[in-house]
Amino acid sequence: MKIHLSSVFVDDQAEALRFYTEVLGFVKKHDVPIGDDRWLTVVSPEDPDGTELLLEPSGHPAVPPYKAALVEDGIPATSFAVDDVHAEYDRLRALGVRFTQEPLEMGPLTTAVLDDTCGNLIQIVHSE
């Protein structure tokens, strides 16, 4: 068994697609209209057949308070692996990305937390 799909709730799918592709560097995998929304997934360009991230609309009534509580408590909605947290932090800051946690070394892990502009905090992590 392996993880095929994970999701992150986004306030605006078009903005999320722009941010996750143009800023974070993912590539669009699926974009299928479903009523007013879309089945919209992105993948890593390094693993185009790997785990997909669904940019899921935040329309369900339970989602806004859930997302707000996570952000208020500083809890990331998900985590992405990078080769070098410090380099990725510098690259993303140069693109105007706002971080809520600068790179932090915690034993074998280095993490940083960014705001995805769509209502979520996202952690980037590198493990030694």
Side-chain angles (χ1 to χ4, degrees), residues 50-123:
T51 305
E52 295 176 48
L53 180 67
L54 175 63
L55 304 177
E56 190 160 0
S58 295
H60 188 281
V63 173
Y66 166 75
K67 287 175 56 176
L70 289 179
V71 170
E72 184 176 321
D73 290 345
I75 300 171
T78 194
S79 182
F80 301 139
V82 298
D83 291 333
D84 182 332
V85 170
H86 293 279
E88 195 65 13
Y89 173 85
D90 291 341
R91 180 186 80 81
L92 293 172
R93 288 271 315 228
L95 292 172
V97 174
R98 185 177 76 82
F99 279 80
T100 61
Q101 177 202 302
E102 295 182 1
L104 178 64
E105 296 181 17
M106 300 179 289
L109 298 176
T110 302
T111 65
V113 178
L114 61 95
D115 179 339
D116 78 349
T117 73
C118 302
N120 302 292
L121 298 179
I122 304 294
Q123 181 180 67

Side-chain angles (χ1 to χ4, degrees), residues 2 13 23 39-40 47-48 60 62 64 73 83:
K2 64 181 182 176
Q13 285 186 300
V23 177
W39 179 264
L40 184 58
D47 191 10
H60 188 281
D73 290 345
D83 291 333

